[in-house]
Amino acid sequence: ENPRRIRSISEGMKHEATTANAMRSIIQVVRYLHSKNICHRDIKPEHFLLTTNERETQKIKLIDFGLARKHNPGSEPMSTFTGSPSFVAPEVIDRSYDHMCDCWSTGVTAYFLLTGMLPFDGQNDEETFQIISSGEFSFPASSIFLSSDAKDFVAKLLEKDPRRRMTASEALNHPWLQKTATC
């Protein structure tokens, strides 16, 4: 592929259907990594590039595997505090986590693409980590037009308990992606 144009997905989505399409691609990448027992540990919009080729076909590509680590299910939890402050999962802050931290970060990414804001954003990193550790978030008043399915999708990825959090495979089958994503 010879991309004619590459831009970060963080440049924003135009509407809910476009975001659903992007999230389907993102979740497929995360599911693939997890199927290979790879945890990226730094999922965020800036690490996804949107390429457009000569046929105007868009593809999303994940970059920056500098923090990625092989991790087998059931093995000793990872404990290195790593990732981008507003995107780290509560269990990363607690220094006992597995691949499900990527699903949390994917939820933060979905929230950002849908609202243009971060769900957990303090005055500094320490305050941001405290907010993340609470696991509590709300949608801004400006998101009044978001569908209940979109909000549910985000909420299930931003479940504080990683054992109850939606996996990448479950996310692909979520009603929001099933109904809204067109590609």
Side-chain angles (χ1 to χ4, degrees):
E1 181 174 5
N2 193 358
R4 187 172 60 184
R5 196 175 101 148
I6 298 175
R7 64 183 173 99
S8 169
I9 197 168
S10 66
E11 291 177 26
M13 299 283 102
K14 300 298 181 215
H15 52 76
E16 197 171 316
T18 305
T19 302
N21 288 333
M23 288 310 304
R24 175 179 279 164
S25 295
I26 288 169
I27 294 287
Q28 287 171 335
V29 169
V30 172
R31 182 182 66 176
Y32 177 78
L33 290 177
H34 291 176
S35 76
K36 300 298 182 190
N37 297 325
I38 297 170
C39 184
H40 189 275
R41 302 195 306 174
D42 200 19
I43 299 285
K44 60 183 179 179
E46 295 86 350
H47 286 167
F48 288 96
L49 298 180
L50 185 61
T51 65
T52 305
N53 64 19
E54 293 80 21
R55 294 182 310 270
E56 297 299 317
T57 303
Q58 292 186 342
K59 290 188 178 186
I60 292 177
K61 297 182 178 194
L62 179 59
I63 62 169
D64 197 349
F65 284 79
L67 298 176
R69 179 171 169 205
K70 189 97 165 145
H71 187 262
N72 295 318
S75 64
E76 188 74 21
M78 291 178 275
S79 60
T80 302
F81 188 87
T82 190
S84 298
S86 293
F87 292 85
V88 298
E91 63 270 23
V92 173
I93 295 168
D94 293 339
R95 291 184 161 93
S96 181
Y97 60 96
D98 61 13
H99 67 286
M100 290 303 289
C101 69
D102 286 346
C103 293
W104 173 277
S105 300
T106 300
V108 176
T109 298
Y111 184 101
F112 177 77
L113 294 177
L114 287 164
T115 68
M117 302 170 74
L118 293 168
F120 311 100
D121 195 26
Q123 296 295 320
N124 54 48
D125 289 351
E126 185 176 321
E127 187 177 312
T128 297
F129 297 146
Q130 289 174 350
I131 297 168
I132 290 168
S133 292
S134 78
E136 296 178 14
F137 73 96
S138 60
F139 287 92
S142 61
S143 64
I144 187 172
F145 298 107
L146 283 181
S147 70
S148 57
D149 282 339
K151 291 177 181 179
D152 183 67
F153 178 82
V154 170
K156 287 182 175 171
L157 287 169
L158 294 181
E159 164 60 50
K160 184 178 176 184
D161 182 348
R163 295 167 298 182
R164 293 181 20 196
R165 188 175 303 145
M166 188 165 53
T167 66
S169 292
E170 291 167 340
L172 284 172
N173 291 312
H174 189 276
W176 182 59
L177 291 185
Q178 295 296 312
K179 292 182 210 173
T180 312
T182 58
C183 60

